[in-house]
Amino acid sequence: MTLYRLDASIRVDGSASGELADIVEQEWLAAHPGDTVVRRHLGTNPIPADAWPLAAFAGYTPEQDRSPEQRQAVALAATLVDELLAADAIVLAVPLYNFGVSQHFKTWVDMVITDPRMAAGAQPILAGKPAVLVTVRGGNYQPGTPREGWDHATGWMRRILADVWHLDLKVVQAEFTLVGVNPALDQFRDLGRQLRQEAEEQARRHGRALGAAVPSAMAA
Ligand SMILES: Cc1cc2nc3c(=O)[nH]c(=O)nc-3n(C[C@H](O)[C@H](O)[C@H](O)COP(=O)(O)O)c2cc1C
């Protein structure tokens, strides 16, 4: 069995999304001791920004007329899709940046969608595959907070992963990860601790469910 883990934090140390994904991964490994975790870290190893236009326009270019750069981009997109297809379960750890989706994650999604197997109208080849999305936000966007509605990333990620790709998606959401980092948020220390504990519990619960999930190919 294989767990595919994708990280998008631009940090290597002290990443809250990484730590929550660690919990999910540990729970999955507890159910599948010795099995494989395949990793891709978009923060430290980003997909080049020009790969997407190259791959996208290669799709409109007859194969024999494609440039070497287009061929390379098409091959990279195919590799990304192969990684998803080979996985029995998926965990994605993606922070909120500037009220929107991480550009590294967006480029990854855009690249995946250029592959003909993932194009609009194609059979949803990832349908039913169990996945956990870990999202972390420095602020607090819960209902009733002053910035409710300012997170323009999570809704989009749910749309792509669950509604477009048809993954069997669970979401771990952590708020206020900047409490203890940004002194302006010091008044929220207790709430920050509580929200962190709740996110860790959510990560444990969804990690256990990911470990217990039977991939649809095996269930059939
Ligand atoms: C450049 C940058 C922009 C950020 N923009 C936001 C933002 O718009 N809203 C927010 O709540 N947090 C924002 N944050 C905070 C991150 O979401 C928070 O630090 C999160 O924990 C980062 O993920 P990581 O801990 O996995 O690295 C930003 C952080 C950075 C570095």
Side-chain angles (χ1 to χ4, degrees):
M1 301 279 274
T2 299
L3 174 70
Y4 183 58
R5 173 166 171 174
L6 188 92
D7 283 86
S9 171
I10 56 174
R11 289 196 290 177
V12 178
D13 297 320
S15 159
S17 57
E19 286 169 8
L20 290 165
D22 286 346
I23 294 175
V24 175
E25 179 183 325
Q26 282 153 18
E27 292 292 345
W28 186 86
L29 280 171
H32 303 282
D35 280 357
T36 309
V37 180
V38 173
R39 299 170 198 281
R40 182 174 281 277
H41 200 306
L42 299 173
T44 56
N45 188 18
I47 292 165
D50 62 353
W52 175 60
L54 285 165
F57 284 114
Y60 303 106
T61 310
E63 211 166 323
Q64 67 276 12
D65 296 336
R66 289 178 186 166
S67 67
E69 292 78 13
Q70 281 180 323
R71 287 171 200 276
Q72 207 179 347
V74 167
L76 175 56
T79 299
L80 301 177
V81 176
D82 288 346
E83 289 171 354
L84 288 168
L85 277 175
D88 297 292
I90 298 168
V91 57
L92 312 137
V94 189
L96 178 70
Y97 291 129
N98 298 327
F99 309 111
V101 70
S102 136
Q103 62 150 320
H104 296 326
F105 185 74
K106 177 69 164 52
T107 302
W108 177 79
V109 169
D110 288 340
M111 281 293 281
V112 166
I113 291 175
T114 62
D115 187 278
R117 292 169 292 176
M118 296 294 288
Q123 198 69 15
I125 53 176
L126 301 179
K129 202 172 280 250
V132 173
L133 168 67
V134 175
T135 70
V136 301
R137 330 192 257 202
N140 186 353
Y141 299 82
Q142 286 188 341
T145 59
R147 288 200 166 166
E148 176 183 359
W150 283 50
D151 170 0
H152 296 282
T154 308
W156 180 82
M157 291 192 286
R158 278 182 183 272
R159 187 65 80 200
I160 292 290
L161 299 171
D163 301 331
V164 178
W165 294 358
H166 298 278
L167 291 170
D168 178 9
L169 186 73
K170 304 237 174 350
V171 179
V172 176
Q173 263 187 333
E175 312 272 352
F176 259 165
T177 60
L178 285 177
V179 171
V181 179
N182 178 352
L185 299 176
D186 276 356
Q187 57 184 308
F188 299 114
R189 273 183 186 274
D190 289 347
L191 179 59
R193 242 190 313 274
Q194 181 198 322
L195 292 173
R196 172 71 190 213
Q197 281 167 7
E198 286 174 10
E200 287 176 359
E201 181 44 44
Q202 216 178 23
R204 272 190 289 276
R205 208 172 51 248
H206 291 335
R208 276 196 296 272
L210 198 66
V214 180
S216 35
M218 289 176 73

